Amino acid sequence: RDAERKHRSLIRGMSANRRLAPAVAASASRLPASVRGSMFLTFKGGLTTMIEALDHALSGAERRIGVKAAAFRPNDPDEREESGRNAETEPEAGQTDGQAQPWAPYDILLSDGEIIQADGIVITAPAYDAAELLEPHMDTQALRAINYVSVANVVMAFNKRDIAEDFKGSGFVIPRSEGTTITACTWTSTKWLHSSPDDKVLLRCYIGRSGDEEVVDLPDSQLEDAVRRDIRDIMGITAVPLFTEITRLHKSMPQYPVGHVQQIAALRARMSAKLPGVWVTGAAFDGVGLPDCIRQGREAASRVYDAITKRK
């Protein structure tokens, strides 16, 4: 809204903001010369590179794989004292060796029955799962208001000699009014030069949007036929793909409702007062992109650390 008001159009406003944005220059010098001016960057080994780096960075941390947090509950030290229990040390659930664990303000109940004590909690689940965890403690209407859309990606590979189109750009998006099955198409082999051999073309088409999700669950053959029909009509591609890969992502795209920013701020204010040291974050809150999620992760760590140190 501000961009449109100040610059008379969204496109003019976006252009102005790009000129004012701090350059990525600080880290650009470490990039290959061929991509320093690019709007798009990714890892040659795929996004699993990030997961592997995180796994390595957390190698010294205690982790639970293959289980989920089923619930959590606050521990009130005053209640423990009134019931005759030690507020400083409390046997962990299921413990039989008589050893005591330092008191912590929260118990986390895992799906396999284990109970973990915690000084702070960061909830990064989708909004609907985060709501399940928080509902026993507070109103979660702001989380329930976030709708999730199911989508599918259809990747097709072709021999370049069979494609008449000269790809200049990174792809295109399609408005709902056009009535196509695909909502967008990325020219992957042009956008990411390392993703295919020089004599091949790789396309990624996107399926599904709010109010039009049933198409995502069509049988593979019908989905492929629909995508081939669209790229034939739009780009004139009639060749048979060398291969097709379909990935369905159910309830994967959070849709922010009107008033989302204010509602989430109010939710977090209530959490801070009622559940100090508990923070909720992720793609459903302050941005869905990878840079947004990385920023939110850093903010969550800072918030929870501050709450814990303030308590101590």
Side-chain angles (χ1 to χ4, degrees), residues 77-103:
D78 295 331
E79 289 182 3
R80 288 175 178 240
E81 288 179 350
E82 290 173 5
S83 63
R85 294 182 291 180
N86 189 337
E88 295 300 324
T89 59
E90 179 71 12
E92 187 175 355
Q95 227 172 255
T96 57
D97 58 8
Q99 293 182 358
Q101 296 292 323
W103 175 82

Side-chain angles (χ1 to χ4, degrees), residues 175-301:
R176 187 186 299 265
S177 58
E178 290 297 309
T180 59
T181 298
I182 67 174
T183 61
C185 177
T186 294
W187 299 335
T188 306
S189 49
T190 303
K191 185 176 181 179
W192 313 120
L193 297 179
H194 65 275
S195 64
S196 68
D198 292 340
D199 62 343
K200 299 293 187 289
V201 169
L202 196 61
L203 303 180
R204 180 186 297 272
C205 296
Y206 301 88
I207 309 294
R209 54 163 66 94
S210 180
D212 183 23
E213 301 176 63
E214 295 80 5
V215 66
V216 170
D217 289 314
L218 287 176
D220 285 0
S221 59
Q222 292 185 35
L223 206 52
E224 181 175 351
D225 288 345
V227 171
R228 289 189 61 193
R229 182 171 58 250
D230 283 346
I231 64 173
R232 180 199 65 207
D233 294 344
I234 296 169
M235 292 183 285
I237 298 176
T238 58
V240 177
L242 299 174
F243 68 81
T244 300
E245 181 181 283
I246 298 175
T247 305
R248 293 175 176 84
L249 305 166
H250 291 99
K251 297 179 71 174
S252 60
M253 301 289 288
Q255 310 290 296
Y256 300 161
V258 174
H260 172 79
V261 172
Q262 294 81 3
Q263 291 168 11
I264 294 302
L267 171 74
R268 284 173 166 164
R270 294 194 300 272
M271 287 180 62
S272 178
K274 190 169 185 178
L275 300 168
V278 179
W279 188 254
V280 62
T281 192
F285 296 88
D286 300 310
V288 300
L290 283 176
D292 295 310
C293 290
I294 292 170
R295 169 182 50 78
Q296 291 179 79
R298 290 172 172 162
E299 290 173 355

